[in-house]
Amino acid sequence: TTQLDPLLSPSVIKALRDTGMQVNYQPQFDIDMEIRIEGREPYDATVRQVVAMSVLPQFQPGATMPVHVDPADPTSFMIG
């Protein structure tokens, strides 16, 4: 099998929910995103990710963030 490079997509945060968990004293969130891959219809997906306290103010609804999307599974993505 050939591994495909992740697709880079500027996407919009729709909602942010604290899971109550922490990793190395940094909070973990469920982040709802609108994924916008060029040439495709936008779609909603959620990722669970640790967000460093130092960058948390940037993670607000309406903010645009770069995401890397798995081309084989468009619901699998990572912010950054």
Side-chain angles (χ1 to χ4, degrees):
T1 29
T2 303
Q3 184 168 349
L4 300 173
D5 290 331
L7 302 170
L8 182 60
S9 164
S11 300
V12 177
I13 295 176
K14 296 180 80 176
L16 190 73
R17 292 179 305 285
D18 192 335
T19 65
M21 300 290 294
Q22 289 191 348
V23 177
N24 294 327
Y25 304 103
Q26 303 298 320
Q28 181 184 65
F29 291 90
D30 285 334
I31 305 169
D32 298 334
M33 304 283 298
E34 180 180 87
I35 309 295
R36 299 176 176 176
I37 298 172
E38 188 175 337
R40 299 185 188 182
E41 286 293 315
Y43 61 94
D44 295 338
T46 302
V47 66
R48 180 167 285 183
Q49 187 165 321
V50 173
V51 178
M53 293 297 288
S54 60
V55 297
L56 187 56
Q58 298 171 27
F59 280 74
Q60 300 301 318
T64 299
M65 298 292 221
V67 298
H68 290 87
V69 180
D70 180 346
D73 178 5
T75 64
S76 177
F77 66 97
M78 182 178 79
I79 299 172

